[in-house]
Amino acid sequence: MTGRDTMYRIAVLSYHTSPLAPLGGRDTGGLNVYVRELTRELAERGHHVDVFTRRTDPDAPEIVAIAAPSARLVHIAAGPPRELEKEALPTHLDAFEAGVAAFAERERLAYDVLHSHYWLSGVVGERLKVRWGVPHIAMFHTLGEVKSRARISEREPAPRIEAERAIVRNADRIVACGRDERQLLMRLYGADPGRISVVPCGVNLDLFQPIAKAEARHQLGLRDDDRILLFVGRIEPLKGVDILLGAAAQLEAEPDCFVLVIGGDSSAREGEMAHLRDLASQLGIAERVSFLGAVDHERLPLFYSAADVCVVPSFYESFGLVALEAMACGTPVVASRVGGLIGTVRDGETGYLIPWRCPEPFAERLDLLLGNEELRRAFGQSAREAVQRYRWGNVAEAVLAIYRELIEGAPAKGRAAFRN
Ligand code: UDP
């Protein structure tokens, strides 16, 4: 059997959130999609994948199939079996590590490689790496130092940043989802560039396909001649929904345009959702903004296709799956010039990148696009073409090349789809 054909047994750590959790909640979004899609692709290629997550439901079975027969989700008891506040999560890392180790021992499983997601899992990955003597690949998804610098109101706790520094020092490989994250890892964390691999995230091109706008709007009960701006994501200050609302209130070309906000709990009376509702009222656009709450991932193509523009006004976005999904549906994207968005949205070709975090420049670009149907169509078409290389199969091949390199000492191949 050649090295390329070897099937690996992969332990994936997703301590703080499950790849099967409903999306669009407070803490469920891109990371969950990433773990789920990558796991499926690896299983499709015959690899055995066990994804370990903290048990949050006392009645859930210990093992749930993600992709039969070789990819499983394993619930590990660590702390109370319910959702916990983020601050309480570090307390139960020891129990989680012990639970994963006990599972492997009981099942007599020897993993070839560990792949951790987010710093909490990275901490456990570092410990299990020592225990099992296998390579550890860490992916942060967000970095505490970057979050703290992105918006004045954000302050990440020092223990998180210290833990991230230790992971950066010791992990066999860090997967960064773009060049920007690679630079930040080097500049803010002193990472060794030789141990960083850049692999972008992906998009499910079978699910995210253009649907004729009239058809999508008909299915959603939206009017044909309205102008519609769409936001999709977790509802938290870093996502910059306030910038979108500010921009919508300033539009000149289409003062009557509507804003759909997808994500979060639409009925929430507290926190960021309440703040955004108040803001829409203060701006005098409350009747033109709909907070729809979380929407099933599988239904999102309808919304992306129905929208004229998808807006991603984030203060910080390590990758930004939503932009790719919108582009895959042939919808132009107006996004902040941050993180992975710099690599995915092509300014003046598939949308616009805005270097400032304030409503005015967003309004200016949105006016331009909303007032020009031909431009929207051209951008949308380029967008669908531009995302082709981001299929999850390409992501899996690039990640497998890293596994292969670390397990077998073979030089990493197979990243061609992402070399540009
Ligand atoms: N999402 C969803 N339903 C929602 C809100 C979000 O399915 O109601 C999904 C969205 O399609 C995307 C992910 O959550 O795949 C968000 O990922 P992104 O990288 O844009 O943001 P992150 O959550 O990583 O900050």
Side-chain angles (χ1 to χ4, degrees):
M1 193 181 264
T2 66
R4 189 162 274 274
D5 296 323
T6 307
M7 296 309 161
Y8 298 130
R9 193 170 283 287
I10 303 155
V12 176
L13 305 176
S14 182
Y15 167 76
H16 81 294
T17 184
S18 160
L20 300 185
L23 300 171
R26 195 187 48 178
D27 294 322
T28 54
L31 185 154
N32 309 67
V33 174
Y34 187 96
V35 173
R36 194 179 67 198
E37 296 283 352
L38 178 63
T39 299
R40 282 186 185 150
E41 292 286 344
L42 293 171
E44 230 165 72
R45 286 161 176 74
H47 301 281
H48 291 267
V49 190
D50 283 339
V51 182
F52 295 96
T53 195
R54 196 183 73 82
R55 174 180 286 285
T56 55
D57 172 358
D59 301 322
E62 183 190 33
I63 297 173
V64 179
I66 298 181
S70 66
R72 319 181 284 182
L73 177 69
V74 185
H75 292 113
I76 299 289
R82 56 180 159 79
E83 295 294 344
L84 295 175
E85 290 300 315
K86 258 197 167 159
E87 298 69 47
L89 285 169
T91 317
H92 307 294
L93 291 178
D94 291 348
F96 187 71
E97 178 201 347
V100 175
F103 177 86
E105 209 172 304
R106 190 191 81 201
E107 302 281 311
R108 297 178 193 284
L109 295 172
Y111 294 98
D112 298 303
V113 67
L114 274 158
H115 194 159
S116 68
H117 296 274
Y118 197 60
W119 73 274
L120 291 164
S121 296
V123 170
V124 179
E126 276 308 297
R127 297 185 196 163
L128 287 172
K129 160 188 161 148
V130 174
R131 198 190 268 254
W132 291 342
V134 298
H136 172 213
I137 292 140
M139 189 162 173
F140 286 105
H141 297 268
T142 66
L143 287 162
E145 277 282 10
V146 186
K147 226 174 149 183
S148 293
R149 285 160 202 244
R151 194 168 182 164
I152 216 88
S153 53
E154 299 287 332
R155 272 279 129 230
E156 284 301 297
R160 168 179 179 172
I161 289 164
E162 278 160 32
E164 287 175 339
R165 286 189 188 288
I167 297 162
V168 165
R169 265 196 314 276
N170 299 319
D172 298 277
R173 190 63 53 89
I174 310 285
V175 175
C177 62
R179 291 175 184 181
D180 185 67
E181 189 182 352
R182 182 174 189 269
Q183 288 301 327
L184 291 167
L185 280 162
M186 285 156 56
R187 189 158 58 82
L188 302 179
Y189 287 85
D192 165 8
R195 279 191 293 118
I196 307 174
S197 295
V198 175
V199 182
C201 300
V203 61
N204 183 336
L205 293 173
D206 298 326
L207 174 62
F208 292 100
Q209 293 206 26
I211 301 167
K213 183 162 287 174
E215 170 60 22
R217 289 194 177 192
H218 175 71
Q219 286 200 36
L220 294 172
L222 300 169
R223 284 196 297 260
D224 268 345
D225 42 6
D226 284 341
R227 292 280 159 264
I228 296 176
L229 302 177
L230 176 68
F231 169 89
V232 178
R234 292 175 295 110
I235 302 298
E236 63 160 53
L238 276 178
K239 289 285 180 184
V241 184
D242 48 353
I243 296 177
L244 166 58
L245 298 183
Q250 291 181 20
L251 294 175
E252 284 173 13
E254 299 288 343
D256 296 329
C257 115
F258 287 83
V259 181
L260 303 182
V261 178
I262 288 180
D265 174 1
S266 66
S267 65
R269 288 171 200 284
E270 294 173 354
E272 185 62 7
M273 189 63 99
H275 160 69
L276 293 173
R277 284 180 186 284
D278 288 349
L279 181 63
S281 300
Q282 283 163 27
L283 292 167
I285 57 169
E287 71 289 351
R288 293 195 281 114
V289 181
S290 301
F291 293 95
L292 301 178
V295 167
D296 279 351
H297 200 59
E298 284 64 31
R299 262 177 78 73
L300 284 177
L302 276 177
F303 286 89
Y304 289 127
S305 300
D308 291 296
V309 183
C310 178
V311 188
V312 187
S314 310
F315 286 79
Y316 170 37
E317 196 68 67
S318 56
F319 186 75
L321 289 181
V322 160
L324 272 194
E325 292 164 0
M327 290 194 283
C329 293
T331 301
V333 174
V334 174
S336 303
R337 197 175 195 295
V338 287
L341 297 166
I342 301 170
T344 51
V345 179
R346 297 191 186 157
D347 192 46
E349 207 181 307
T350 64
Y352 290 114
L353 287 169
I354 312 289
W356 301 280
R357 316 283 171 264
C358 51
E360 292 75 13
F362 276 85
E364 197 248 343
R365 289 310 199 192
L366 289 171
D367 263 331
L368 192 69
L369 266 175
L370 290 175
N372 189 335
E373 190 177 346
E374 203 38 56
L375 190 64
R376 289 201 303 278
R377 193 169 303 135
F379 277 17
Q381 207 163 346
S382 306
R384 175 76 192 167
E385 285 159 22
V387 298
Q388 295 303 312
R389 70 195 190 107
Y390 292 97
R391 54 186 72 243
W392 284 109
N394 289 344
V395 177
E397 289 298 338
V399 170
L400 269 171
I402 300 169
Y403 293 168
R404 206 173 289 130
E405 183 190 346
L406 293 175
I407 297 168
E408 299 171 24
K413 287 186 197 143
R415 262 176 277 171
F418 298 125
R419 219 171 269 141
N420 54 16

Short mmCIF file of all heavy atoms in Angstrom, two decimals, residues 23-25 28-31 33 208 232-234 239 262-264 293-298 300 304 317-323 325, ligand 1:
data_model
loop_
_atom_site.label_atom_id
_atom_site.label_comp_id
_atom_site.label_asym_id
_atom_site.label_seq_id
_atom_site.Cartn_x
_atom_site.Cartn_y
_atom_site.Cartn_z
N LEU A 23 -27.11 25.69 13.88
CA LEU A 23 -26.24 26.83 13.59
C LEU A 23 -26.95 28.16 13.82
O LEU A 23 -28.17 28.23 13.84
CB LEU A 23 -25.77 26.76 12.14
CG LEU A 23 -24.99 25.51 11.77
CD1 LEU A 23 -24.78 25.44 10.27
CD2 LEU A 23 -23.66 25.50 12.51
N GLY A 24 -26.13 29.20 13.98
CA GLY A 24 -26.69 30.55 14.10
C GLY A 24 -27.01 30.91 15.54
O GLY A 24 -27.55 31.97 15.82
N GLY A 25 -26.69 30.02 16.50
CA GLY A 25 -26.88 30.33 17.91
C GLY A 25 -25.76 31.23 18.39
O GLY A 25 -24.96 31.72 17.60
N THR A 28 -22.52 29.05 17.75
CA THR A 28 -22.44 28.04 16.70
C THR A 28 -22.45 28.70 15.33
O THR A 28 -23.34 29.47 15.02
CB THR A 28 -23.62 27.05 16.79
OG1 THR A 28 -24.84 27.80 16.80
CG2 THR A 28 -23.54 26.20 18.03
N GLY A 29 -21.43 28.40 14.56
CA GLY A 29 -21.33 29.02 13.24
C GLY A 29 -20.27 28.32 12.42
O GLY A 29 -20.29 27.09 12.27
N GLY A 30 -19.31 29.09 11.96
CA GLY A 30 -18.32 28.59 11.01
C GLY A 30 -17.55 27.38 11.49
O GLY A 30 -17.31 26.45 10.73
N LEU A 31 -17.15 27.38 12.77
CA LEU A 31 -16.35 26.26 13.28
C LEU A 31 -17.13 24.94 13.17
O LEU A 31 -16.59 23.92 12.75
CB LEU A 31 -15.96 26.53 14.74
CG LEU A 31 -15.03 25.55 15.43
CD1 LEU A 31 -14.26 26.27 16.54
CD2 LEU A 31 -15.75 24.36 16.02
N VAL A 33 -19.56 24.19 11.11
CA VAL A 33 -19.68 23.80 9.70
C VAL A 33 -18.36 23.19 9.24
O VAL A 33 -18.33 22.15 8.57
CB VAL A 33 -20.03 25.04 8.82
CG1 VAL A 33 -20.00 24.68 7.34
CG2 VAL A 33 -21.38 25.60 9.21
N PHE A 208 -25.06 25.24 -1.90
CA PHE A 208 -25.11 26.68 -2.18
C PHE A 208 -24.99 26.92 -3.68
O PHE A 208 -23.90 27.01 -4.23
CB PHE A 208 -24.05 27.43 -1.38
CG PHE A 208 -24.35 27.40 0.09
CD1 PHE A 208 -23.71 26.50 0.94
CD2 PHE A 208 -25.33 28.22 0.63
CE1 PHE A 208 -24.03 26.44 2.29
CE2 PHE A 208 -25.67 28.16 1.97
CZ PHE A 208 -25.01 27.27 2.81
N VAL A 232 -26.04 37.39 7.48
CA VAL A 232 -26.17 36.04 8.07
C VAL A 232 -25.01 35.84 9.04
O VAL A 232 -23.85 36.06 8.66
CB VAL A 232 -26.12 34.93 7.00
CG1 VAL A 232 -26.21 33.55 7.64
CG2 VAL A 232 -27.22 35.11 5.96
N GLY A 233 -25.31 35.43 10.27
CA GLY A 233 -24.20 35.13 11.19
C GLY A 233 -24.63 35.14 12.64
O GLY A 233 -25.78 35.44 12.96
N ARG A 234 -23.67 34.81 13.50
CA ARG A 234 -23.94 34.91 14.93
C ARG A 234 -24.16 36.38 15.26
O ARG A 234 -23.54 37.26 14.66
CB ARG A 234 -22.77 34.33 15.72
CG ARG A 234 -22.63 32.82 15.56
CD ARG A 234 -21.40 32.24 16.24
NE ARG A 234 -20.19 32.74 15.64
CZ ARG A 234 -19.35 33.58 16.22
NH1 ARG A 234 -19.59 34.00 17.44
NH2 ARG A 234 -18.27 34.00 15.61
N LYS A 239 -19.52 41.18 14.83
CA LYS A 239 -20.06 40.97 13.48
C LYS A 239 -20.48 42.28 12.81
O LYS A 239 -20.79 42.31 11.62
CB LYS A 239 -21.24 40.00 13.52
CG LYS A 239 -20.82 38.56 13.82
CD LYS A 239 -20.16 37.90 12.62
CE LYS A 239 -19.76 36.46 12.92
NZ LYS A 239 -19.05 35.85 11.80
N ILE A 262 -30.25 37.47 9.64
CA ILE A 262 -30.42 36.05 10.00
C ILE A 262 -29.38 35.66 11.03
O ILE A 262 -28.19 35.97 10.87
CB ILE A 262 -30.29 35.17 8.75
CG1 ILE A 262 -31.54 35.37 7.87
CG2 ILE A 262 -30.13 33.70 9.13
CD1 ILE A 262 -31.53 34.56 6.60
N GLY A 263 -29.84 34.98 12.09
CA GLY A 263 -28.92 34.52 13.13
C GLY A 263 -29.43 34.96 14.50
O GLY A 263 -30.21 35.90 14.60
N GLY A 264 -28.99 34.24 15.51
CA GLY A 264 -29.38 34.61 16.88
C GLY A 264 -30.82 34.26 17.17
O GLY A 264 -31.54 33.67 16.35
N GLY A 293 -33.98 35.63 13.18
CA GLY A 293 -33.48 34.55 14.04
C GLY A 293 -32.67 33.56 13.21
O GLY A 293 -32.41 33.78 12.02
N ALA A 294 -32.30 32.46 13.86
CA ALA A 294 -31.49 31.45 13.16
C ALA A 294 -32.33 30.77 12.08
O ALA A 294 -33.52 30.53 12.27
CB ALA A 294 -30.97 30.42 14.15
N VAL A 295 -31.71 30.49 10.96
CA VAL A 295 -32.38 29.80 9.85
C VAL A 295 -31.59 28.54 9.56
O VAL A 295 -30.35 28.55 9.58
CB VAL A 295 -32.42 30.72 8.60
CG1 VAL A 295 -32.81 29.95 7.35
CG2 VAL A 295 -33.38 31.89 8.82
N ASP A 296 -32.29 27.45 9.25
CA ASP A 296 -31.60 26.19 8.92
C ASP A 296 -30.61 26.42 7.79
O ASP A 296 -30.94 27.05 6.78
CB ASP A 296 -32.61 25.14 8.42
CG ASP A 296 -33.30 24.48 9.58
OD1 ASP A 296 -32.87 24.71 10.72
OD2 ASP A 296 -34.28 23.75 9.33
N HIS A 297 -29.44 25.86 7.97
CA HIS A 297 -28.37 25.99 6.97
C HIS A 297 -28.90 25.64 5.57
O HIS A 297 -28.62 26.34 4.60
CB HIS A 297 -27.27 25.01 7.39
CG HIS A 297 -25.93 25.30 6.81
ND1 HIS A 297 -25.27 26.50 7.00
CD2 HIS A 297 -25.11 24.54 6.05
CE1 HIS A 297 -24.11 26.46 6.37
NE2 HIS A 297 -23.99 25.28 5.79
N GLU A 298 -29.69 24.57 5.50
CA GLU A 298 -30.15 24.06 4.20
C GLU A 298 -31.11 25.04 3.52
O GLU A 298 -31.32 24.95 2.32
CB GLU A 298 -30.85 22.70 4.38
CG GLU A 298 -29.90 21.53 4.62
CD GLU A 298 -29.11 21.65 5.93
OE1 GLU A 298 -29.66 22.25 6.89
OE2 GLU A 298 -27.96 21.18 5.98
N LEU A 300 -30.67 28.37 3.66
CA LEU A 300 -29.99 29.63 3.39
C LEU A 300 -29.81 29.95 1.90
O LEU A 300 -29.85 31.12 1.53
CB LEU A 300 -28.63 29.67 4.10
CG LEU A 300 -28.72 29.91 5.62
CD1 LEU A 300 -27.33 29.86 6.24
CD2 LEU A 300 -29.39 31.26 5.92
N TYR A 304 -29.86 33.74 0.31
CA TYR A 304 -28.74 34.34 -0.44
C TYR A 304 -29.19 34.69 -1.86
O TYR A 304 -28.83 35.73 -2.42
CB TYR A 304 -27.55 33.38 -0.52
CG TYR A 304 -26.80 33.16 0.78
CD1 TYR A 304 -26.58 31.87 1.27
CD2 TYR A 304 -26.26 34.23 1.50
CE1 TYR A 304 -25.87 31.65 2.44
CE2 TYR A 304 -25.53 34.02 2.67
CZ TYR A 304 -25.34 32.72 3.13
OH TYR A 304 -24.64 32.51 4.29
N GLU A 317 -12.97 38.79 11.30
CA GLU A 317 -13.53 37.60 10.67
C GLU A 317 -12.34 36.75 10.26
O GLU A 317 -11.62 37.12 9.33
CB GLU A 317 -14.35 38.02 9.45
CG GLU A 317 -15.31 36.99 8.91
CD GLU A 317 -16.47 36.71 9.84
OE1 GLU A 317 -17.32 37.59 10.06
OE2 GLU A 317 -16.50 35.59 10.37
N SER A 318 -12.07 35.65 10.95
CA SER A 318 -10.86 34.93 10.59
C SER A 318 -11.00 34.33 9.19
O SER A 318 -10.08 34.36 8.41
CB SER A 318 -10.47 33.87 11.62
OG SER A 318 -11.53 33.00 11.82
N PHE A 319 -12.18 33.83 8.85
CA PHE A 319 -12.39 33.40 7.46
C PHE A 319 -13.64 34.04 6.85
O PHE A 319 -13.56 34.80 5.92
CB PHE A 319 -12.44 31.88 7.33
CG PHE A 319 -12.50 31.47 5.89
CD1 PHE A 319 -11.37 31.54 5.10
CD2 PHE A 319 -13.69 31.07 5.30
CE1 PHE A 319 -11.41 31.23 3.73
CE2 PHE A 319 -13.74 30.74 3.94
CZ PHE A 319 -12.59 30.83 3.16
N GLY A 320 -14.81 33.69 7.39
CA GLY A 320 -16.04 34.27 6.85
C GLY A 320 -16.72 33.38 5.83
O GLY A 320 -16.78 33.69 4.64
N LEU A 321 -17.28 32.25 6.32
CA LEU A 321 -17.96 31.31 5.41
C LEU A 321 -19.14 31.95 4.71
O LEU A 321 -19.44 31.63 3.56
CB LEU A 321 -18.46 30.09 6.20
CG LEU A 321 -17.43 29.11 6.72
CD1 LEU A 321 -18.12 27.97 7.46
CD2 LEU A 321 -16.61 28.54 5.56
N VAL A 322 -19.82 32.86 5.42
CA VAL A 322 -21.03 33.45 4.86
C VAL A 322 -20.74 34.12 3.52
O VAL A 322 -21.53 34.00 2.56
CB VAL A 322 -21.66 34.43 5.88
CG1 VAL A 322 -22.61 35.40 5.21
CG2 VAL A 322 -22.38 33.63 6.96
N ALA A 323 -19.61 34.79 3.42
CA ALA A 323 -19.28 35.46 2.15
C ALA A 323 -19.17 34.44 1.02
O ALA A 323 -19.69 34.65 -0.08
CB ALA A 323 -17.98 36.25 2.30
N GLU A 325 -20.56 31.48 0.88
CA GLU A 325 -21.88 30.89 0.59
C GLU A 325 -22.71 31.83 -0.29
O GLU A 325 -23.36 31.40 -1.24
CB GLU A 325 -22.62 30.61 1.91
CG GLU A 325 -21.96 29.49 2.71
CD GLU A 325 -22.42 29.42 4.18
OE1 GLU A 325 -23.26 30.25 4.59
OE2 GLU A 325 -21.91 28.55 4.90
N1 UDP B 1 -25.48 29.91 9.80
C1 UDP B 1 -26.61 29.15 9.62
N2 UDP B 1 -27.80 29.63 10.08
C2 UDP B 1 -27.88 30.83 10.73
C3 UDP B 1 -26.72 31.60 10.92
C4 UDP B 1 -25.53 31.10 10.44
O1 UDP B 1 -26.57 28.07 9.02
O2 UDP B 1 -28.98 31.19 11.14
C5 UDP B 1 -24.17 29.39 9.29
C6 UDP B 1 -23.71 30.08 8.02
O3 UDP B 1 -24.35 29.53 6.90
C7 UDP B 1 -22.20 29.82 8.05
C8 UDP B 1 -21.89 29.80 9.54
O4 UDP B 1 -23.13 29.64 10.22
O5 UDP B 1 -21.91 28.58 7.47
C9 UDP B 1 -21.21 31.08 9.99
O6 UDP B 1 -19.89 31.02 9.59
P1 UDP B 1 -18.94 32.28 9.42
O7 UDP B 1 -17.59 31.76 9.07
O8 UDP B 1 -19.52 33.27 8.47
O9 UDP B 1 -18.93 32.98 10.85
P2 UDP B 1 -18.38 32.45 12.28
O10 UDP B 1 -19.52 31.77 12.95
O11 UDP B 1 -17.23 31.51 12.00
O12 UDP B 1 -17.98 33.68 12.98
#
